Amino acid sequence: MEKPFYITTAIDYTNAPPHIGHAYEKILGDVMARDRRARGREVVYLIGVDQHGQKVQQSAARAGVRPEVFAQDVTAKFLDLWKRLDIAYDRWAETTAPQHTECVRAILNQLHQKGKIYKARHGGYYSVRQEQFLTEKDRGADGSFSPDWGEVVFLEEENYYFRLTEFKDWLVGFLEAHRESVLPAFRWTELRNAVERLTGDLCISRPKSRLAWGIELPFDPEFVTYVWFDALINYISFAGYTSHPVDFERLWPADYQVIGKDILAPAHGIYWLIMLRALDFPDERMPRLLVHGYINLRGDKISKSAGNTVDPAELVGKYGAEALRYYLMREAVTGQDMEFSEDRLVARHNSDLANGLGNLLNRTLGMAKRYRQGVLKKPADSPLAAPAAEAVSRHRAAFDRCEPHAALEAAAAFVAHCNGFIEESAPWKLAKDPAQAERLDAVSMAWPNRSASSPRSMRPRSHRLRSRSVSN
RNA sequence: GCCAGAGUAGCUCAGUGGCAGAGCAGGGGACUCAUAAGCCCUUGGUCGGGGGUUCAAAUCCCUCCUCUGGCACCA
């Protein structure tokens, strides 16, 4: 039995509400997942939220509520957005869920017992106001710390460390042997360079005196788990790593883990891969990382006047989920940054969806009804079958390369071809001449049968097909 | 400073040694099934600058500039 297509995205940090970048990433994952489903493959698409950590605790304190209340409130905003954006996820990850916290504890215990986690004392300068250790780069020219940090004290603290450096050689070897493990290729290079610079181990604990909002270390109740160590595990905890081993064996490794370029190195490319290795995952069970770019707002009118933010929920309300999804997928080149433009969104919706695809279906259905009362005879073969097959082929190849923009280009080219075919065959002329009835039958049913039609994944739903052009 | 990415038409981007391209926007035309949509034709480029290799460079090499990311450094 074929392994399900398992795809994940980064879980979103619940210290602030979602923005357009969060939306882009989930749409990308959703579209990849839908493509595989449309091809008949079983798919598991996992998204979720990261609810622990210092920033959540701080934001909650500012808002005057408990961390769990704050996290749940922001979580609700993410859930609402995914519903509005029609994100068809199969599983939902919340790092406060028992399935996750128990898995994290089990993993910590395992690594601790194997000697991959050790306790050490470390001293450094600590900002009481910011609640964080300062590094040399926070130090001023005269060697002092900026008043922005408030009171700075030298603090010596015991913590638990994960033996990252022990696995550095393995990681280098793995990456060299698996260039396909990080896409696009230039991100592989970036990660490869970053691994070379890896020196220290990873501190994976925080004393409760400093940070209470997290998963308690199973072997030392005085500490909670560092948020990245906690968060990364979601990819396997919600795949059933400790809770449903049979399920997990089918799912893992992830075919793609969709992440932003900011969290490739060191979080996913180093911490995560080494964590898996430390848990004895062999090379062939390492996930593939798909690294996307940012949605930039620089130079955009609405961002300047609106304080440099574009609220995806607002865009959905204004234009609909399909228009936003189509725009982002059609114009973002996977891995590259893109410039967000509301004008471009409107232009894409109008030209490709409303005028191209929408009008094609409208005129096709209109003529079928008008000339043949909606009853068409199936022809032996269709002149559109070959171009349709080619479009499907290009579409699939593009998705195999993780390039939805290229897949949509293929679909749009086929729509244009169909509109050209109608002009060329001019059914409205044939309809006026009874002698051309047979020809009209052939032309009318030229539309390819379902199995050869354009892939379902990218086809806007029917109620959207009737939408007219919009303007902003 | 180091390592990468980007720089091609007004806009968004393809194009990695062989006559500079697509879509949109702009201009013109024929048509009338259709959502003032669609179709055909068309204007528009020092391929960031400079140097080099080559019969031939957007493409390969060197160098510089601008923007972006990571790391380092400085504050």
Side-chain angles (χ1 to χ4, degrees), chain A residues 189-204:
Chain A
T189 308
E190 195 167 296
L191 175 60
R192 180 65 184 73
N193 292 337
V195 174
E196 210 59 64
R197 292 189 300 264
L198 175 63
T199 49
D201 286 337
L202 176 67
C203 178
I204 58 153

Side-chain angles (χ1 to χ4, degrees), chain A residues 122-141:
Chain A
H122 169 80
Y125 289 94
Y126 181 81
S127 162
V128 177
R129 181 191 291 173
Q130 292 297 321
E131 300 183 26
Q132 68 180 63
F133 275 95
L134 303 176
T135 62
E136 285 308 307
K137 53 177 157 178
D138 298 316
R139 198 186 281 273

